[in-house]
Amino acid sequence: MAKLVAKDPSVAPALLRMHFHDCFVMGCDASVLLNSTKKFKAEKDSAIDATLSGFAEIDQIKTAVEQKCPGVVSCADILAMVARDSVHLNNGPYYKVPLGRRDGTVSLATEAQANLPPHTFNINQLISLFKLKGLDIKDLVVLSGAHTIGQGHCTNFINRLYNFSSTNSIDPSLDPNYAHKLQKECAGPNVNSISVNMDFKTPTKFDINYYKIVKHHKGLFETDAALLDNPITKTYVDYHSSLPRTSSFFKDFAESMVKMGKIEVLTGKQGQIRKICSKVNS
C-alpha cells in the first residue's frame, strides 16, 4: 500500500471510499469489486458508483497476497485493511481491523442505487440510512470526516452553484464566496471530468480540518452541510472545529470504521474466498 500511495496519492481516498461503498451495499463482502456479467449489471457499473476508482490497485494487492497465502485472505478483508492503511498513510490513526470476512457472489447495480446516499440527502435521510446499517448519529458525523482527504467531482455538487431553487441561485447553506470560487474551478465544457479537493486547506492530510470547513459552510456536498442541521452532529462539528482535538476524532474514527466494517459480513461457510476479486470462483 505504501508504494501505491507514494506513486499516486489519490489511491488512498479512493480505496477508503470504496470500502464505504462496499459495506453499505449488501454488507462488507467485496461485491463492489465484481464485474458485470451477461445476466447482471454489477455495483461498479451503477450510476452512483461511476466515479469509484482503485480497482486496479486492489487487483495488484490481491495478486501479491495470493502468491504468499493462496485462498486465505478474502477480498473483503483486503478492502477493510487498505481502507485503514489509506487513513494511516495520510497521517491518520492506525487501528486493528477484525478479519475473517468472506466474499459475496452477487453484485447488483440496483442494490447500489438503493443503498448508497446521494450527495443531496438531508440530515434526516442520512440518519435513517445509517440506522438501517446499524450505525448511529455519531457514526454518521464521524465517518463524514473521511472527506478530509480526496476530491469531489463537480457533477456531484454543481447543483449547489446554479439554479439551486426557485428563490436561490446558489445554495444558501454554502458560503457565497466559496461558491463563486467553485464556479470558476468547475467551469468549462469538460465539467464531468473536473474534481476539486474536499478539504481545500489540507487535502492530503487526514485531520480535523474537515469540521472547520463544514462549520464555515464550505463543505462541498449537501450531505456535508446537513451536519449543521441536527443538534448532535452540529455539536460534534463545533467541538472538533473550535480547538485542536485530533486525538478525540482519531479515536472515534477508528471505532466507527471497525463498526462499519462489521455490517452484514459473511463468515464460516458463507460466500467464498475469491481467487480474483473481480469475478466469482468457477
Side-chain angles (χ1 to χ4, degrees):
M1 260 301 285
K3 291 181 179 179
L4 292 174
V5 172
K7 182 179 179 181
D8 181 4
S10 70
V11 168
L15 295 181
L16 176 57
R17 181 181 178 221
M18 188 183 290
H19 182 45
F20 171 83
H21 278 235
D22 180 47
C23 289
F24 265 57
V25 183
M26 303 171 69
C28 308
D29 66 348
S31 55
V32 70
L33 301 175
L34 287 171
N35 289 335
S36 293
T37 65
K38 293 181 179 180
K39 293 184 177 180
F40 300 106
K41 184 177 179 181
E43 293 171 33
K44 64 168 64 172
D45 292 321
S46 65
I48 202 164
D49 277 346
T51 56
L52 282 184
S53 60
F55 296 104
E57 286 75 12
I58 290 294
D59 287 341
Q60 289 182 52
I61 294 169
K62 176 63 172 176
T63 297
V65 170
E66 282 295 305
Q67 289 175 349
K68 295 203 171 187
C69 307
V72 175
V73 184
S74 69
C75 300
D77 274 351
I78 287 175
L79 274 180
M81 288 187 284
V82 298
R84 185 269 316 279
D85 293 347
S86 295
V87 170
H88 185 61
L89 290 169
N90 279 270
N91 303 110
Y94 183 91
Y95 53 92
K96 186 176 181 179
V97 176
L99 303 175
R101 300 170 190 79
R102 288 172 66 84
D103 300 322
T105 57
V106 177
S107 181
L108 300 172
T110 51
E111 288 294 321
Q113 291 296 140
N115 287 278
L116 290 169
H119 296 294
T120 55
F121 259 20
N122 61 41
I123 190 63
N124 292 327
Q125 290 171 311
L126 289 169
I127 291 172
S128 295
L129 178 59
F130 271 62
K131 185 177 180 180
L132 286 173
K133 305 301 175 183
L135 303 175
D136 58 28
I137 297 177
K138 183 179 179 181
D139 296 317
L140 164 60
V141 66
V142 169
L143 292 173
S144 295
H147 285 180
T148 188
I149 57 172
Q151 297 189 320
H153 292 78
C154 290
T155 50
N156 288 330
F157 60 84
I158 202 164
N159 65 299
R160 305 183 73 196
L161 308 180
Y162 303 98
N163 304 314
F164 181 72
S165 69
S166 59
T167 55
N168 294 286
S169 176
I170 295 174
D171 183 348
S173 68
L174 183 63
D175 177 272
N177 292 326
Y178 186 53
H180 292 312
K181 179 177 180 293
L182 291 174
Q183 287 176 339
K184 293 178 181 178
E185 293 189 30
C186 293
N190 299 317
V191 65
N192 290 343
S193 61
I194 301 175
S195 299
V196 301
N197 293 324
M198 292 187 286
D199 176 346
F200 58 86
K201 290 188 176 181
T202 55
T204 60
K205 184 179 180 182
F206 197 92
D207 55 24
I208 58 172
N209 202 58
Y210 165 77
Y211 295 110
K212 297 178 182 179
I213 288 172
V214 169
K215 183 175 181 178
H216 291 96
H217 304 281
K218 296 180 180 180
L220 273 190
F221 309 116
E222 288 177 69
T223 50
D224 295 323
L227 297 179
L228 299 177
D229 296 333
N230 174 277
I232 297 176
T233 54
K234 184 178 185 300
T235 296
Y236 194 91
V237 170
D238 290 341
Y239 181 80
H240 287 85
S241 58
S242 58
L243 290 172
R245 294 185 168 104
T246 302
S247 59
S248 171
F249 167 57
F250 280 9
K251 177 178 178 294
D252 291 342
F253 190 82
E255 290 176 354
S256 289
M257 283 294 287
V258 169
K259 189 175 176 181
M260 184 186 76
K262 296 179 179 179
I263 296 176
E264 299 175 42
V265 296
L266 302 176
T267 59
K269 295 183 179 180
Q270 297 173 312
Q272 60 183 218
I273 304 293
R274 280 185 232 140
K275 298 177 181 177
I276 299 172
C277 289
S278 59
K279 66 179 184 179
V280 175
N281 297 341
S282 56

